[in-house]
Amino acid sequence: QSRLFRKDARCFYALAELYRQLAEEDMIAGLWRADEDILKYLPMNLYPKTPPDQNQANKSLRHASASTCEETRAGIALMQHGMWPQAQDILFRAVTRKSSGTTVTGHDEMCLWEERWIETARHMNQWDVLGDFAKGVDHMSLQMECMWRGGEW
């Protein structure tokens, strides 16, 4: 599968979106478990390619990008195995690190983290937490769902 995306990350994200719309959760999980070769072509790795001994800043960016991908794969894998609280914790930490600017990642991966975090909260019936999140980001449909589930008409 990763051979398909060698040069063009748009294919990767288009296929991920297609799987999301078809609710193919296992296929999405498999797609985000890409091998290390494909990770260097995805836009979540925003560093220029330079020899390792030339630029120390690029080394730290590579490390940050790799750990981001690891969190994505770990969160999705935990969800697949029904470990909802652990998955929620990993995804929450990933989002907060991105928000604080300590993680370099792409917009698509950030959206994936938020969607999966919302899914974990729904699965664990954390409607008050989701309601607060929905108010904070002005997500009206999620806010209405939380009010309905919580009986706050």
Side-chain angles (χ1 to χ4, degrees):
Q1 213 175 17
S2 66
R3 304 291 179 243
L4 174 67
F5 312 117
R6 280 276 180 228
K7 302 289 184 203
D8 194 357
R10 293 176 301 173
C11 294
F12 177 86
Y13 291 119
L15 189 56
E17 178 61 19
L18 176 65
Y19 287 153
R20 187 188 67 76
Q21 290 181 4
L22 294 172
E24 290 288 346
E25 301 302 323
D26 291 334
M27 296 299 288
I28 293 171
L31 189 62
W32 279 96
R33 287 186 191 158
D35 60 325
E36 291 299 317
D37 290 339
I38 188 59
L39 295 178
K40 62 186 168 193
Y41 293 108
L42 296 179
M44 62 188 93
N45 294 331
L46 300 174
Y47 57 87
K49 301 214 184 310
T50 58
D53 56 344
Q54 281 188 0
N55 192 339
Q56 184 63 32
N58 285 340
K59 287 182 186 177
S60 60
L61 282 177
R62 284 187 194 125
H63 178 69
S65 297
S67 67
T68 300
C69 295
E70 222 21 72
E71 289 169 341
T72 301
R73 288 180 284 191
I76 291 174
L78 287 168
M79 289 175 67
Q80 278 189 297
H81 293 290
M83 299 176 168
W84 300 99
Q86 296 91 336
Q88 186 180 44
D89 184 51
I90 285 176
L91 295 168
F92 180 75
R93 281 187 282 139
V95 169
T96 54
R97 282 204 350 244
K98 171 65 178 174
S99 299
S100 68
T102 59
T103 299
V104 178
T105 189
H107 177 73
D108 293 323
E109 192 167 13
M110 177 70 174
C111 290
L112 177 82
W113 291 338
E114 284 187 9
E115 287 174 6
R116 297 298 178 207
W117 181 83
I118 290 170
E119 186 178 338
T120 60
R122 277 184 176 135
H123 188 81
M124 296 187 297
N125 292 319
Q126 296 176 336
W127 301 111
D128 53 338
V129 173
L130 273 176
D132 293 341
F133 170 77
K135 287 176 189 171
V137 297
D138 201 27
H139 192 312
M140 294 308 270
S141 61
L142 181 59
Q143 195 172 354
M144 289 173 48
E145 180 184 0
C146 293
M147 291 187 322
W148 174 66
R149 299 280 183 165
E152 298 175 23
W153 290 94

